[in-house]
Amino acid sequence: MSRTEVRQCLPEPMRAFLARLEERSTEGGTCTTDMLRQAGASGALGALVPASHGGTAIGYAQFGELNRAVAAVSPSLQSLFTVHGMVCRALARWSSADLRDEYLPLLSRGDTIAAFALTEAEAGNDIRRIRATARSTDSGWVLDGVKKWVTFGQVAHLYLVFASCSRGDVALLVRREDTGVDVRPSPATFGLRGARLAELRLTGCQVPGDRIVGKVGSALSHVAADALTVGRLSVAHGALGLAQCSLTGALERSISRHQFGGPLHQQQLVRGMLADAGVAVDSASLLCRRAARSMDEDSSWAIGHVVMAKLAASRAATAAAAVEAQLFGADGLTENSRVHRHLGDARVMEVIEGSTQLLQHLVADALLARHRADAATKIEEGALDDC
């Protein structure tokens, strides 16, 4: 389906939300409290929540289009869809029926905002280096540790926290009001400046035993890994929306800006820059579409398709933003200008939910696995032909 057709498959309240959001495209990529309220009211925050728990339960192709459209206006707001969706996915797939009944309806309506608390000072791409600890007690768990760069952590009501314990690793739901929870704003970053990043300090934080998500020992391998696949699909489409916006800005600048007796687009080197950015953006679009389709079809190669899409789209965003900035010159480097925001936001896209270098490693893994599977199939088919 075309992007327009995919968008038409979104529920009407969600389409209306996107239309209102796009009317605010001149507001500088901000993420206001009103935007959060509208996102919840439209059902957009319940995109990955089953209908049985009040969610809209749209497909991954529609979820991708939602993220792309939101990021074209506010990448910071789109980052909420990423982390909130990751927690919704984790609860829907791995938590107990009681936890699903209690939290998924609240998350779907946006009454409760969720954050994904995995990263630490020494655990970025290498998540197995987490140092936060969970000590088992008669009544549940006691958490100690510090989580860094928690997206929308400043306003979240609920945190999915990953920690190590005597039996491996564990994922626990922590409420903001739990004893021992201290939320502090993180330093401002170059991009996604409206993402309300926070540091989550846990000191003797007591969590009831029934708030465990998944089994002990499977928090990283199953709960986090599965949620990260959804997060990477979300970021891939968000990066695509940003890339398309930057490319449009570059094209418009090449037409309106005149130098050396004509518009910039008449200069051969400028045309080369535009061509390279256009190829990167269109390639990313096709890979994002394939990744979403693979997720919808539950393909055995979906994870590989998702990491490839995220790698391509985040790089396309960086490439397109760089071309846009080059064509705007000093005008594009002024703080808080649209072009300046695009540069910063694009840079962050190559870091969150797996850096470019980690994704290259994962893409190579997927390619090798696919090659070996194809080779084994050919050998098997050859053996059958010999019979």
Side-chain angles (χ1 to χ4, degrees), residues 245-324:
C245 193
S246 294
L247 179 59
T248 297
L251 290 167
E252 291 175 348
R253 179 68 168 182
S254 76
I255 294 169
S256 63
R257 177 70 167 174
H258 284 64
Q259 295 284 283
F260 303 106
L264 287 178
H265 69 77
Q266 290 182 353
Q267 302 296 322
Q268 183 176 3
L269 293 178
V270 171
R271 297 175 76 86
M273 293 164 62
L274 294 172
D276 288 346
V279 168
V281 172
D282 280 5
S283 298
S285 178
L286 293 172
L287 289 171
C288 283
R289 190 173 301 179
R290 182 182 70 169
R293 184 172 63 249
S294 292
M295 290 285 285
D296 279 327
E297 296 174 353
D298 198 24
S299 166
S300 58
W301 303 108
I303 294 175
H305 290 163
V306 168
V307 294
M308 189 175 290
K310 199 277 184 179
L311 176 62
S314 58
R315 282 179 152 183
T318 297
V323 171
E324 183 184 29

Side-chain angles (χ1 to χ4, degrees), residues 25-326:
S25 60
T26 60
E27 295 184 10
T30 58
C31 179
T32 65
T33 301
D34 183 54
M35 287 180 178
L36 298 182
R37 182 189 61 77
Q38 290 185 26
S42 72
L45 293 179
L48 298 182
V49 176
S52 59
H53 288 83
T56 47
I58 59 177
Y60 287 106
Q62 288 75 34
F63 180 65
E65 171 57 19
L66 174 66
N67 281 271
R68 187 205 65 80
V70 171
V73 178
S74 174
S76 291
L77 178 59
Q78 185 272 320
S79 69
L80 171 62
F81 285 72
T82 297
V83 295
H84 191 86
M86 291 167 71
V87 176
C88 289
R89 166 76 173 198
L91 290 182
R93 183 166 185 182
W94 303 105
S95 74
S96 67
D98 287 344
L99 282 185
R100 293 196 297 271
D101 291 343
E102 181 176 2
Y103 289 107
L104 285 179
L106 297 172
L107 294 169
S108 179
R109 296 192 301 267
D111 294 340
T112 294
I113 299 297
F116 195 79
L118 175 61
T119 301
E120 298 179 7
E122 299 301 324
N125 284 325
D126 188 359
I127 61 176
R128 294 199 173 275
R129 289 179 60 85
I130 58 172
R131 295 294 180 263
T133 60
R135 178 169 51 85
S136 179
T137 67
D138 292 338
S139 59
W141 300 86
V142 176
L143 281 168
D144 289 282
V146 179
K147 294 297 180 176
K148 305 278 285 186
W149 312 116
V150 182
T151 302
F152 277 87
Q154 292 182 37
V155 298
H157 310 96
L158 191 69
Y159 305 87
L160 182 57
V161 176
F162 295 84
S164 60
C165 65
S166 60
R167 291 178 286 158
D169 46 59
V170 64
L172 298 167
L173 278 182
V174 174
R175 294 174 177 169
R176 190 184 188 94
E177 66 270 19
D178 285 340
T179 302
V181 174
D182 181 17
V183 180
R184 302 182 182 184
S186 297
T189 54
F190 180 36
L192 299 188
R193 297 178 69 87
R196 321 284 178 88
L197 298 174
E199 180 178 274
L200 180 63
R201 292 178 171 266
L202 304 166
T203 307
C205 176
Q206 299 179 22
V207 180
D210 61 1
R211 279 203 242 143
I212 187 172
V213 178
K215 297 179 179 179
V216 174
S218 68
L220 298 180
S221 62
H222 291 70
V223 181
D226 180 66
L228 281 168
T229 297
V230 172
R232 286 164 180 159
L233 183 73
S234 173
V235 173
H237 283 84
L240 174 61
L242 175 60
Q244 291 170 334
C245 193
S246 294
L247 179 59
T248 297
L251 290 167
E252 291 175 348
R253 179 68 168 182
S254 76
I255 294 169
S256 63
R257 177 70 167 174
H258 284 64
Q259 295 284 283
F260 303 106
L264 287 178
H265 69 77
Q266 290 182 353
Q267 302 296 322
Q268 183 176 3
L269 293 178
V270 171
R271 297 175 76 86
M273 293 164 62
L274 294 172
D276 288 346
V279 168
V281 172
D282 280 5
S283 298
S285 178
L286 293 172
L287 289 171
C288 283
R289 190 173 301 179
R290 182 182 70 169
R293 184 172 63 249
S294 292
M295 290 285 285
D296 279 327
E297 296 174 353
D298 198 24
S299 166
S300 58
W301 303 108
I303 294 175
H305 290 163
V306 168
V307 294
M308 189 175 290
K310 199 277 184 179
L311 176 62
S314 58
R315 282 179 152 183
T318 297
V323 171
E324 183 184 29
Q326 196 70 13

Side-chain angles (χ1 to χ4, degrees), residues 7 41 114:
R7 185 156 176 169

